[in-house]
Amino acid sequence: RRVIRRRFCFACLLACAAVLSNVAAAQTSISGSIGATSHFVFRGLSYTRGGPAVQGSLDLEVRSGAYVGTFVSSTNPNPGYTPAAEVDLWAGYHREFGDSLSADVRYTHYWYPDDPRVADYDRDELIATLGFPGAAFVSATYSPNTEAIAATPGLAEGDTWTVEISARHALSPRWSISAGAGRYFLDEIYGEDYDYWGATLSADFAPLELHLAVLGADSAPEHIFGSRVAGERIAVTALYRFSITR
């Protein structure tokens, strides 16, 4: 099943890349980042059990709004047998509707290469996001094949959802604050859902970015994943960003 899922994922991403290459004669933007964080936290869960991680990302977007990209991070979600990295692969489409609304639809595959764990932590998600004047966002995420996340096998493979709201406010050309909250619907997998949240202070010293984040979730994920994975954390992240347009 893992092999079939991965082959399907790579086929979808290669098809998207082929389409993008055919229209890349138009304006193409390549952007990315490389850096490190004191805690790799996603939806309120630490994928390094409170430890640091090195991370990088790469995006290619054409003028039409279609894009493909990847994100790679070191991981340490489990004591003992654990995958060394998470690789996210995505393809999507982004469109602006004047200055009042933006829309984004993205397919993402989460992949843990050479994962020694018995359960299958690889999964796919479809994410739809609406943006309002570039400062507030509402998103919904659906996964049809989640079997396990973070550090604990699920009870069964099933459907999962997330609903998230976030906002960003510029304090000055260099400083900004952002905050968000969401709910992860995991009842089919773990028998419980949970709420998560975060707030971040960011500084842009282009091409260097610095982020100080306070992240957490309610008590439910501690029951499922344990205190090394769940719980409130402060994360410090430094990123070097680059962008090329042709």
Side-chain angles (χ1 to χ4, degrees):
R1 185 172 56 188
R2 290 192 186 190
V3 172
I4 293 173
R5 185 184 296 178
R6 288 172 185 170
R7 286 178 178 174
F8 174 77
C9 162
F10 287 128
C12 290
L13 290 167
L14 287 172
C16 292
V19 171
L20 287 175
S21 66
N22 288 332
V23 296
Q27 188 178 55
T28 302
S29 174
I30 300 173
S31 60
S33 67
I34 186 169
T37 182
S38 61
H39 301 292
F40 175 22
V41 178
F42 181 60
R43 294 175 185 159
L45 304 179
S46 173
Y47 283 67
T48 50
R49 293 187 298 129
V54 293
Q55 300 176 332
S57 67
L58 187 66
D59 275 283
L60 185 151
E61 182 176 356
V62 296
R63 193 171 184 178
S64 66
Y67 61 87
V68 294
T70 184
F71 166 82
V72 180
S73 177
S74 60
T75 58
N76 184 26
N78 290 76
Y81 297 107
T82 188
E86 174 184 305
V87 180
D88 304 345
L89 306 166
W90 60 73
Y93 179 77
H94 179 84
R95 184 169 180 180
E96 303 280 347
F97 299 92
D99 296 327
S100 60
L101 183 67
S102 66
D104 188 282
V105 178
R106 173 185 295 194
Y107 158 80
T108 301
H109 179 73
Y110 298 85
W111 175 36
Y112 298 89
D114 299 320
D115 192 345
R117 298 173 292 184
V118 175
D120 189 356
Y121 287 76
D122 296 358
R123 65 190 188 278
D124 303 289
E125 290 185 349
L126 184 63
I127 307 160
T129 303
L130 289 177
F132 303 93
F137 303 88
V138 179
S139 67
T141 302
Y142 168 69
S143 171
N145 57 0
T146 298
E147 183 178 317
I149 62 171
T152 303
L155 303 174
E157 181 177 312
D159 299 342
T160 65
W161 291 85
T162 65
V163 178
E164 185 172 310
I165 58 173
S166 60
R168 180 181 180 277
H169 176 68
L171 302 173
S172 70
R174 177 164 291 174
W175 295 89
S176 64
I177 56 173
S178 58
R183 185 167 183 85
Y184 206 167
F185 296 91
L186 294 172
D187 185 64
E188 288 191 21
I189 315 302
Y190 295 104
E192 286 191 79
D193 307 326
Y194 73 89
D195 299 315
Y196 59 93
W197 54 269
T200 304
L201 174 66
S202 301
D204 184 0
F205 299 93
L208 182 67
E209 282 185 10
L210 301 175
H211 304 276
L212 175 64
V214 180
L215 307 158
D218 63 25
S219 60
E222 287 198 48
H223 302 153
I224 302 171
F225 305 103
S227 59
R228 291 292 301 274
V229 174
E232 296 184 2
R233 303 181 189 279
I234 296 176
V236 179
T237 303
L239 297 173
Y240 174 87
R241 291 196 180 276
F242 62 88
S243 180
I244 303 170
T245 300
R246 68 174 184 86

